[in-house]
Amino acid sequence: MGFTIGGIREMRSGSRRRGRAAEGTAVAEYTGLWGWAVAPGARASDGACSCGDSVCAAPGAHPLDFAQEVPAGATFSIAANAWAEVPGASMLLPVGRSFDVLDVAEAAGRRALVRMERMGLPLGPVTVTPAGRTQFFVAPGAAAGLPGLLYRMGWDDADLDLRALGPGSYITAPPSDLGGLGPVRWLRPPVPDTAVAPPQARLLLGTLAYICHRW
């Protein structure tokens, strides 16, 4: 089974089997090692989404309706076999279960990350997207609590390019392509402690808000 863009199969090079094996391994790492579910996602090419909807609101950046997600805890064999059923799919991580995400502009996020590391703040995984965004993994609940946190810190009336993603959102997982723009990459890859228990948003928010305000 596969999916197409304009009737042309998306993956047809001689290296696709190697690519599928690598993707299956990555999915198994997310499910088995880090305990995250992975949803098969659409891909985009020349602005067209593989879902086939000519007016798709998020080309190449949403789950496929017909495909089931690979659950957290799936073994290598289960994850690899499940991913073989959706050749060409991108890897999407559901937000709001094991983590929420604080999303900021790439330049501000990179600067904030350096400062946080120097300060010795607890940090979870961090990605950078080809759309110019940096995504900090934090404990679930950040999206619902962000307005209150910003208010208590005195940043509620500031013009900040900072948002929180929570339940119902998905992010593209490295090394999958985001909307035809290129691959998502790790700035700070997951490690056992922070993948399972990312930091509370309040521990990072002061630095992020300060950098975003100055940027």
Side-chain angles (χ1 to χ4, degrees):
M1 179 174 64
F3 54 91
T4 62
I5 295 177
I8 302 174
R9 188 165 296 276
E10 188 173 347
M11 295 185 67
R12 56 183 178 180
S13 71
S15 63
R16 65 181 176 181
R17 278 201 284 277
R18 291 192 298 274
R20 289 176 189 174
E23 290 173 352
T25 299
V27 171
E29 180 177 326
Y30 288 135
T31 60
L33 191 57
W34 310 127
W36 302 333
V38 182
R43 299 287 287 268
S45 178
D46 297 326
C49 186
S50 60
C51 70
D53 185 350
S54 61
V55 292
C56 179
H62 64 85
L64 295 169
D65 293 336
F66 62 81
Q68 294 185 341
E69 71 178 30
V70 185
T75 64
F76 177 86
S77 177
I78 292 173
N81 289 338
W83 213 253
E85 295 296 315
V86 283
S90 62
M91 291 175 279
L92 302 183
L93 303 177
V95 182
R97 301 180 195 176
S98 300
F99 58 85
D100 278 8
V101 167
L102 296 179
D103 178 280
V104 301
E106 180 180 347
R110 285 181 179 273
R111 185 173 178 183
L113 179 59
V114 170
R115 176 169 292 199
M116 291 173 186
E117 290 175 335
R118 289 175 178 169
M119 294 170 64
L121 294 178
L123 290 165
V126 183
T127 66
V128 61
T129 79
R133 307 297 295 180
T134 311
Q135 299 175 323
F136 291 76
F137 288 38
V138 293
L146 183 62
L149 283 171
L150 290 174
Y151 175 78
R152 289 193 293 274
M153 291 180 176
W155 291 106
D156 57 304
D157 60 349
D159 184 17
L160 302 177
D161 183 8
L162 187 159
R163 61 176 180 150
L165 306 178
S169 299
Y170 291 82
I171 60 169
T172 302
S176 284
D177 177 274
L178 173 61
L181 299 175
V184 177
R185 306 188 313 277
W186 291 114
L187 281 183
R188 187 179 176 93
V191 296
D193 289 346
T194 60
V196 175
Q200 296 292 324
R202 60 180 174 79
L203 300 176
L204 311 183
L205 196 55
T207 303
L208 278 173
Y210 175 75
I211 297 296
C212 288
H213 181 64
R214 287 175 60 87
W215 201 257

